[in-house]
Amino acid sequence: MKIAIAGAGAMGSRFGMMLHQAGNDVILIDQWEEHVSAIKHNGLKAIHDGETIIENIPAFLPKDITDYHDEIDTVILFTKAMQLDDMLQSITSILSEHTTVLCLLNGLGHEDTIKNYVAKENILLGNTMWTAGLTGPGEVNMFGHGSVELQNIHPKGQDAALELVQVFNEAGLNCKYSEDMMYSIWRKACVNGTLNGTCTILDANIASFGSTSVTDEIIRTIIHEFALVAKHEGILLDEEEIVNHVKSTFDPHGIGHHYPSMYQDLIQKHRLTEIDYINGAVCKKGETYQIATPYCQFLTQLVHAKEELLKAK
Ligand code: NAD
Ligand code: AOT
């Protein structure tokens, strides 16, 4: 399959690497010049569970993608939430009526942005429990195991969705066709809503956050707030199952050593975060539905305060 990764940061590099290793025709698109240049000159380097792998994968800056004329079967969107609109604007030249676009970003509401650029028949929504971190230009650290879920938003997109599930599984990405992707998106939003802001403010990885005496109460309260709001949108979250799902990530032999992407952004790189698309989105919806979401609100405020203190950009 001919696949373009739109946003070849930590996760885009991981997926690009695994899909390329499985024999797909992959291209990477990213605006970070040093990163693209390093991949062009030295290949994409990954430390995969301690072992170094290098793959030569074509990499492009967005300004150069307009010169690219091969038909792309699938675009995988992997920017941060606040970068999605700009990315879609810069890749319109590679989107044909036969191009399927899969969104794997964390957070809520991305379909509204994508619908401005892509026909509904061509949109797939998904999410992933894989993790990754960039260690420098052209270098990605990938450890632990994960999974992917995806689904078409229009019945006409189902064949493309099922084909992509197969391509992902051939690449070892452990992918499942979701029968209810909006539920899956809210379930993953609960993972990020309980772990990303908290680990960022506490300067902790997932396992450390999981080890405190107050963690259980924090995650239950946040998940309850998500569930109250989701219910207003017709999505009935199984809170107990989701609490256990979040706790399953604490295992230090699994992905417990992962520092969430929000931590990587704000604490390590002084970048603005996706908090407004996770806990912040739940607060905003809560205001509309007149549901109090005090833990989500406080966490959103703390993360924004930290962004200010660190002069995040
Ligand atoms: P990242 O910041 O490492 O990568 C995003 C990349 O997109 C960057 O390299 C950036 O240069 C590029 N980009 C942004 N706007 C662009 C534009 N207009 N044109 C070209 N390139 C552009 O982010 P990430 O950690 O890979 O996360 C991507 C998404 O996946 C986020 O929604 C995140 O929450 C989610 N996620 C991350 C992890 C993780 O472990 N890192 C795990 C699961 C999900
Ligand atoms: C994560 N991490 O989604 C993934 O870093 O944004 C992130 C992220 C799977 C399980 C637990 C955390």
Side-chain angles (χ1 to χ4, degrees):
M1 185 178 272
K2 182 112 191 144
I3 300 170
I5 307 281
M11 293 299 287
S13 293
R14 180 193 251 277
F15 274 62
M17 179 66 107
M18 291 176 76
L19 288 162
H20 188 262
Q21 282 185 309
N24 295 288
D25 197 351
V26 176
I27 65 166
L28 307 173
I29 306 168
D30 204 283
Q31 66 189 4
W32 183 16
E33 293 192 12
E34 278 172 278
H35 184 53
V36 168
S37 168
I39 298 170
K40 278 184 177 169
H41 290 105
N42 311 317
L44 176 63
K45 183 174 163 189
I47 313 296
H48 192 186
D49 291 328
E51 187 195 329
T52 302
I53 323 164
I54 295 175
E55 290 277 318
N56 288 310
I57 308 179
F60 297 84
L61 290 168
K63 69 178 173 57
D64 298 327
I65 205 69
T66 43
D67 299 333
Y68 191 83
H69 298 299
D70 289 3
E71 178 129 74
I72 303 285
D73 300 309
T74 305
V75 171
I76 302 177
L77 298 168
F78 247 143
T79 61
K80 288 283 160 41
M82 50 284 187
Q83 302 165 329
L84 181 60
D85 196 89
D86 275 0
M87 172 56 93
L88 283 159
Q89 277 182 41
S90 64
I91 59 167
T92 48
S93 67
I94 59 164
L95 300 178
S96 84
E97 58 177 317
H98 304 295
T99 310
T100 300
V101 176
L102 167 66
C103 177
L104 285 179
L105 278 65
N106 282 332
L108 299 167
H110 303 314
E111 59 282 9
D112 297 336
T113 307
I114 302 169
K115 279 179 196 161
N116 295 329
Y117 300 90
V118 184
K120 279 190 202 143
E121 292 81 349
N122 293 349
I123 301 176
L124 308 181
L125 294 182
N127 62 31
T128 178
M129 293 291 285
W130 290 97
T131 62
L134 284 181
T135 45
E139 286 187 21
V140 59
N141 187 21
M142 1 203 275
F143 64 89
H145 200 69
S147 57
V148 184
E149 287 181 85
L150 61 86
Q151 190 187 24
N152 41 299
I153 66 165
H154 187 280
K156 283 192 182 161
Q158 191 176 30
D159 287 350
L162 292 171
E163 189 186 351
L164 194 57
V165 168
Q166 193 178 336
V167 166
F168 275 13
N169 281 328
E170 283 163 8
L173 282 161
N174 187 24
C175 184
K176 196 174 87 182
Y177 180 80
S178 172
E179 296 294 341
D180 186 355
M181 198 59 223
M182 287 321 290
Y183 186 97
S184 306
I185 285 173
W186 275 89
R187 183 171 179 261
K188 176 72 200 285
C190 287
V191 174
N192 299 116
T194 50
L195 301 180
N196 289 25
T198 48
C199 288
T200 300
I201 295 301
L202 294 170
D203 201 351
N205 63 24
I206 296 176
S208 304
F209 172 59
S211 71
T212 89
S213 60
V214 290
T215 301
D216 180 72
E217 192 182 342
I218 292 173
I219 63 176
R220 281 180 191 281
T221 310
I222 293 175
I223 290 169
H224 186 59
E225 291 180 4
F226 273 62
L228 290 175
V229 171
K231 194 174 167 193
H232 261 261
E233 303 203 342
I235 297 156
L236 298 178
L237 298 181
D238 179 345
E239 294 180 47
E240 196 55 37
E241 188 280 327
I242 295 175
V243 167
N244 291 329
H245 177 51
V246 170
K247 287 185 176 177
S248 74
T249 67
F250 297 161
D251 180 2
H253 303 293
I255 53 165
H257 293 295
H258 172 63
Y259 284 87
S261 54
M262 191 172 289
Y263 180 99
Q264 297 178 33
D265 278 334
L266 184 52
I267 307 302
Q268 295 177 336
K269 298 177 192 155
H270 296 189
R271 294 212 177 123
L272 294 168
T273 72
E274 294 179 303
I275 195 77
D276 286 337
Y277 298 84
I278 308 171
N279 305 80
V282 171
C283 294
K284 212 168 169 191
K285 286 172 184 286
E287 277 167 28
T288 310
Y289 307 138
Q290 296 188 315
I291 296 168
T293 56
Y295 270 50
C296 284
Q297 193 175 13
F298 186 43
L299 194 53
T300 304
Q301 286 170 333
L302 284 178
V303 171
H304 282 317
K306 193 74 180 170
E307 287 174 341
E308 283 183 36
L309 292 174
L310 292 176
K311 297 187 173 41
K313 287 196 187 85

